[in-house]
Amino acid sequence: MTDSDPFDEIIEAETDRDPDLAVIEAGSRTLRTQGTSGPQADVPGRPEDPALDKALRTVEADLATRWGETKLEPSVSRIAALMDVLGDPQRSYPSIHITGTNGKTSTARMIEALLGAFELRTGRYTSPHVQSITERISLDGAPISAERFIETYEDIKPYIEMVDAQQEFRLSFFEVLTGMAYAAFADAPVDVAVVEVGMGGSWDATNVIDADVAVVTPIDLDHTDRLGETTGEIATEKAGIIKQDATVILAQQPVDAAQVLLKKAVEVDATVAREGLEFGVVSRHVAVGGQLINLRGLGGEYEEIYLPLHGPYQAHNAAVALAAVEAFFGVGAQRPDPLAIDTVRKAFASVTSPGRLEVVRRSPTVVLDAAHNPAGARATAEAVTEAFDFSKLIGVVGASGDKNVRGLLEAFEPMFAEVVVTQNSSHRAMDVDELAGIAVEVFGDERVQVEPRLPDALEAAITLAEEDGEFAGGGVLVTGSVITVGEARLLLGRG
């Protein structure tokens, strides 16, 4: 491996910034193994123009002085005040609001692709980002440019400062980004906004919209210290996005969560469509690079849809996305006919989801997946087993300290021959020695290797996967955190 000092310097330079603003640029300079292709349009890197990059860093540094996304005060009063002084831009377009525990971003990207295929101008707001902060705000399926990101921030900055002066607490990092997204969508203007909650629902900053369609992806245990100890309690918070007379699209849910969501829908006269009853996955078959699925929507059956994403859970996300777009267009209510099948097929075939079972290298195959809780890990494990025929799979795990790391590791234990534990650059990252201690309890001492630095962990895992020869079918799965996946993606040449 080459001299890793540049990577160390970059990590050191980022220690004072919010973890979701830190973009690790050492990349190909620090790792001998490169990815098979260059950056992708939906995951932008740093601006090449030095002046533009400096301006973006100035905005990022300004945002980093605010509360990070893990520090919350359960209220929408600040974001509501910002929307008020901006003239309520979020009310100038209809919206689809998405909550749940896992699958939100992939579902949002599918909804966006479907709406775009039907010639609607879309705005998409998702979090966190994989590599660049500009990923969070997209127009017409692509992240806004660095120039537009900076301009949007400068445009609303005086109003942000006005609200800061009037509130007990300043607007948070996530609240400011939410305000920027809603302003950018109004300025575009978009025909429809696809908005993913940051956390929860009722008091999430995004919840100043009155969405015509509310989507709830599967609810599981995550952020239990803030949202509740059971899926029913968590559902109570997430049900806050269900508004008067909306249409609610429910993915398959635990019984207690479903009861809470259905009760809230009744209270506000919302129409409910449930996966497995009103819509769902009829069949699915593994295909090269993804899967071929047949879906039942609100307006009928949609057959032979190619989805270039792996795993049963992505097929279920597709069913939810299709039902959400049908509901937006009034299919099954105002209009009896299904959506045009050729347009639906074209839309799904175009879907990408960076950092979600994404192959970034061959020989050996390296797969990135941002699973960060036990439910996500179980879904990823099932998808990897189905989609890849690895003779030996090596795990690279770098997790956040506020997650159920034991549960995550236990989900992967049956499939990892060995695991390399590491630590990403975020201050939220679990200490590598603490992570190693848990890993040894789950895997046994012989199957655990400790590499504090991510470049070394990737190198070690690739070496382990290659031990049985180039054609033996070894692979590497990098997982545990969006931040770990984003940094690995850069190191492996994908941005």
Side-chain angles (χ1 to χ4, degrees):
M1 197 163 110
T2 58
D3 187 358
S4 59
D5 287 345
F7 188 85
D8 290 330
E9 292 171 6
I10 291 166
I11 295 296
E12 184 177 355
E14 299 291 348
T15 54
D16 293 332
R17 302 175 69 201
D18 186 282
D20 288 312
L21 299 179
V23 177
I24 309 306
E25 300 148 10
S28 59
R29 297 199 305 272
T30 65
L31 195 68
R32 63 171 173 82
T33 51
Q34 297 300 304
T36 56
S37 62
Q40 300 205 339
D42 54 0
V43 185
R46 301 300 309 184
E48 294 183 5
D49 177 21
L52 182 59
D53 185 54
K54 181 179 180 181
L56 180 59
R57 288 184 183 279
T58 299
V59 173
E60 291 174 333
D62 203 0
L63 289 169
T65 65
R66 299 179 176 275
W67 281 358
E69 290 173 282
T70 59
K71 187 171 183 179
L72 304 167
E73 193 270 324
S75 168
V76 294
S77 60
R78 293 177 301 280
I79 186 67
L82 179 61
M83 293 297 98
D84 183 54
V85 297
L86 289 175
D88 286 322
Q90 81 284 9
R91 303 197 188 284
S92 63
Y93 40 80
S95 55
I96 298 175
H97 206 177
I98 306 168
T99 190
T101 301
N102 292 305
K104 295 188 294 296
T105 298
S106 293
T107 302
R109 295 176 75 96
M110 293 179 194
I111 291 172
E112 173 190 51
L114 284 164
L115 293 169
F118 284 99
E119 300 185 351
L120 292 183
R121 186 162 205 207
T122 58
R124 173 172 54 84
Y125 181 52
T126 54
S127 61
H129 56 269
V130 178
Q131 288 176 195
S132 171
I133 193 172
T134 59
E135 294 168 39
R136 295 181 179 229
I137 305 172
S138 290
L139 294 173
D140 295 323
I144 63 173
S145 65
E147 293 95 331
R148 192 161 193 166
F149 186 90
I150 296 164
E151 289 169 4
T152 302
Y153 179 73
E154 293 299 336
D155 284 345
I156 73 169
K157 185 177 179 181
Y159 301 97
I160 293 170
E161 293 171 346
M162 185 187 307
V163 173
D164 284 344
Q166 297 170 349
Q167 298 289 321
E168 181 181 1
F169 303 108
R170 297 170 71 214
L171 287 154
S172 70
F173 165 81
F174 187 73
E175 287 168 336
V176 171
L177 280 176
T178 302
M180 290 173 60
Y182 289 160
F185 296 161
D187 184 61
V190 301
D191 297 314
V192 55
V194 183
V195 179
E196 173 190 336
V197 303
M199 184 187 300
S202 294
W203 43 259
D204 187 74
T206 63
N207 202 32
V208 288
I209 54 175
D210 293 320
D212 303 305
V213 179
V215 176
V216 187
T217 66
I219 292 175
D220 212 295
L221 299 179
D222 199 12
H223 301 295
T224 53
D225 56 330
R226 297 178 177 90
L227 302 180
E229 296 291 335
T230 68
T231 50
E233 291 175 353
I234 293 171
T236 300
E237 174 58 34
K238 293 183 183 293
I241 74 164
I242 301 174
K243 303 299 174 58
Q244 190 73 34
D245 300 321
T247 300
V248 185
I249 306 299
L250 294 184
Q252 292 179 342
Q253 302 291 346
V255 173
D256 60 345
Q259 289 173 337
V260 169
L261 295 165
L262 291 171
K263 180 181 178 182
K264 177 59 181 289
V266 170
E267 290 172 354
V268 298
D269 293 321
T271 301
V272 177
R274 299 155 293 179
E275 184 183 5
L277 293 174
E278 286 78 22
F279 70 93
V281 178
V282 176
S283 64
R284 53 179 298 276
H285 304 282
V286 176
V288 176
Q291 53 193 305
L292 193 66
I293 57 178
N294 291 342
L295 303 177
R296 185 178 74 255
L298 305 180
E301 293 214 0
Y302 298 79
E303 297 181 337
E304 297 183 353
I305 296 169
Y306 175 67
L307 181 67
L309 301 174
H310 299 291
Y313 69 97
Q314 293 288 20
H316 290 284
N317 288 341
V320 170
L322 176 62
V325 173
E326 285 183 306
F328 181 79
F329 284 125
V331 173
Q334 291 91 355
R335 51 181 286 188
D337 298 328
L339 301 175
I341 183 61
D342 289 341
T343 305
V344 170
R345 288 173 180 154
K346 178 181 177 182
F348 276 119
S350 71
V351 171
T352 62
S353 195
R356 277 77 179 177
L357 280 180
E358 181 185 19
V359 177
V360 294
R361 186 190 190 274
R362 299 286 186 183
S363 298
T365 299
V366 178
V367 182
L368 307 181
D369 191 85
H372 55 271
N373 56 47
R378 289 191 294 270
T380 296
E382 180 183 11
V384 169
T385 301
E386 176 185 86
F388 301 93
D389 188 23
F390 293 125
S391 60
K392 177 173 68 174
L393 183 62
I394 308 300
V396 174
V397 179
S400 296
D402 58 348
K403 298 296 182 180
N404 180 357
V405 175
R406 181 179 296 276
L408 181 141
L409 291 173
E410 287 174 345
F412 285 124
E413 188 277 330
M415 64 186 302
F416 285 165
E418 297 179 63
V419 61
V420 182
V421 296
T422 189
Q423 187 170 336
N424 62 51
S425 66
S426 166
H427 68 261
R428 293 168 54 196
M430 175 173 281
D431 178 78
V432 69
D433 292 329
E434 182 182 357
L435 178 57
I438 300 172
V440 166
E441 292 175 5
V442 173
F443 288 86
D445 185 64
E446 310 79 21
R447 294 166 64 195
V448 178
Q449 183 169 333
V450 182
E451 294 290 349
R453 298 178 61 259
L454 183 57
D456 298 336
L458 293 172
E459 177 106 5
I462 289 168
T463 299
L464 288 169
E466 290 175 333
E467 278 183 348
D468 296 330
E470 182 179 357
F471 303 105
V476 175
L477 176 64
V478 184
T479 189
S481 163
V482 175
I483 298 169
T484 299
V485 164
E487 292 178 3
R489 203 173 190 275
L490 283 163
L491 287 165
L492 290 163
R494 296 301 287 266

